[in-house]
Amino acid sequence: MFNSLVNKYNIAGPRYTSYPTVPYWDKATFSLDKWKSSLVKSFKESNSKEGISLYIHLPFCESLCTFCGCNKRITKQHSVESPYIQAVLKEWHLYLALFDKKPIIKELHLGGGTPTFFSPEHLKVLINGILEGAERAGNYEFSFEGHPNNTTREHLQALFDLGFRRVSYGVQDYNPTVQKAIHRIQPFENVKAATDLAREIGYTSVGHDIIFGLPFQSLAHVKETILKTKSLLPDRLAFYSYAHVPWIKGNGQRGFNDSDLPSADLKRKQYELGKQLLGQVGYEEIGMDHFALSSDGLYKSMLDGNLHRNFMGYTASKTQAMIGLGVSSISDSWYGFSQNVKDIESYYKLLEEDTIPVYRGHILNEEDLKIRRHILNLMCQFKTSWHSDELYFTELPDSLILLKEMEKDGLLQIGNKTIEVTSKGQPFVRNICMAFDVLLQRKQPDSQLFSMTV
């Protein structure tokens, strides 16, 4: 029965880190001035109550991982570090000039690329430069992505001293054949050393990222990776499906053929096996593709109903405004999205002209805002409702028609103005969200834009 559901629902679909999704942003009516206005409005409404989030994209890597769909620049020249940090700080000051008071930073995350490509000294310059123009919230959370092969004691200590208490390490898979295919040779001993170091220094949340559906990956490989992961017991885990999107320009996904990838049926078996093994040692499933120990803040936020999802993935709390700094970073004012230019040279040029380096975005209308709330509810709580007129939109009856078929398959239950996803339906939550995505329903893409949902 489960295999037939996989065959039925394994279609291309968004991951819904935003709504509207990026391919459906209305770029024709977007402008930098509109983006600034939406951010200033959001800042005035929310800064004193909840603060803001910052995402800083650090794009440099010394070698190319061929599973990666992120924006990156491959180089071994570390002379690139200082100019890039100065550019990010220039962008931050352009944003600070928009606000009438100091931002209160609740969340700050360093992503990449490889943040630990940068020296500890340069990371200190970056974070101290950010904090010069801002205050920390009382319950702030600073986090970064670390590469187990090059995250040193000096990196961990420097960032700890600056207030970082959470680190996530990209593990992917421990099998040598899989690692060779994705060009990420990373022995278990390196991950263990980096994990132990973080805990010794005092980090309170250590996360690991694991991927299923990688080239040449078997059920036995997934089992081996999970068993080794259990021995380290990270506080939280991202256990997600490899998104095969080789058509995206600049993507590193090469070095293997489509025929080397596991079938949709095998991918789902890999996920179910991993979920079962993780559950045996006390990991709780959080939203889509995430797991956490009951002692971790992500699990507690799910119980409290505070779990949030944005371009950084799942977070333990929501801020209305999230500013992305650095090339390709995406910002979110709740009322609008914007994305920075993707190449470093254009980024530098715009900053030299004292221009916030945005090249596309979307300002949400009333319908967008309603549907966004439904999709966030489904992604974070596996349920939504429209008892209030504030959450009713014109095409909701059409969405319910699509959902009726899923209800027959046992993926959800439709109540009196409510929808609740069943445990059977949780692996298909992306498909359920697609029924609410009126922009996708109105205009199906002419070519494949998204990874497969299973």
Side-chain angles (χ1 to χ4, degrees), residues 201-264:
I201 286 169
Y203 284 78
T204 54
S205 180
V206 179
H208 288 183
D209 291 352
I210 299 171
I211 303 178
F212 61 92
L214 290 168
F216 305 109
Q217 194 178 43
S218 67
L219 274 175
H221 297 152
V222 171
K223 183 176 182 180
E224 175 195 21
T225 295
I226 295 292
L227 290 176
K228 287 184 174 179
T229 299
K230 284 165 62 176
S231 72
L232 299 180
L233 213 64
D235 301 275
R236 63 177 70 169
L237 282 164
F239 180 50
Y240 56 93
S241 169
Y242 165 60
H244 190 53
V245 287
W247 56 84
I248 294 179
K249 184 180 179 182
N251 208 311
Q253 295 177 343
R254 55 183 182 269
F256 50 87
N257 300 316
D258 286 2
S259 58
D260 298 325
L261 297 170
S263 65

Side-chain angles (χ1 to χ4, degrees), residues 37-51 100 318 320-321 333-335:
S37 296
S38 78
L39 181 61
V40 169
K41 175 184 178 183
S42 183
F43 182 83
K44 288 179 177 178
E45 291 176 353
S46 64
N47 182 58
S48 60
K49 292 184 294 183
E50 62 185 23
D100 58 356
K318 171 185 175 293
Q320 187 167 301
S333 68
W334 184 257
Y335 303 111

Side-chain angles (χ1 to χ4, degrees), residues 58 78 81-82 85 110 114-129 144 150-164 197 201 203:
L58 302 174
H78 286 263
E81 293 182 33
S82 185
I85 285 173
L110 305 180
T114 306
T116 46
F117 172 96
F118 287 76
S119 71
E121 292 72 26
H122 281 135
L123 291 174
K124 286 181 192 176
V125 171
L126 172 63
I127 302 305
N128 283 326
F144 76 98
N150 68 11
T151 300
T152 64
R153 177 183 291 274
E154 289 74 22
H155 280 113
L156 289 162
Q157 188 66 58
L159 290 171
F160 183 86
D161 293 344
L162 290 163
F164 286 73
L197 258 180
I201 286 169
Y203 284 78

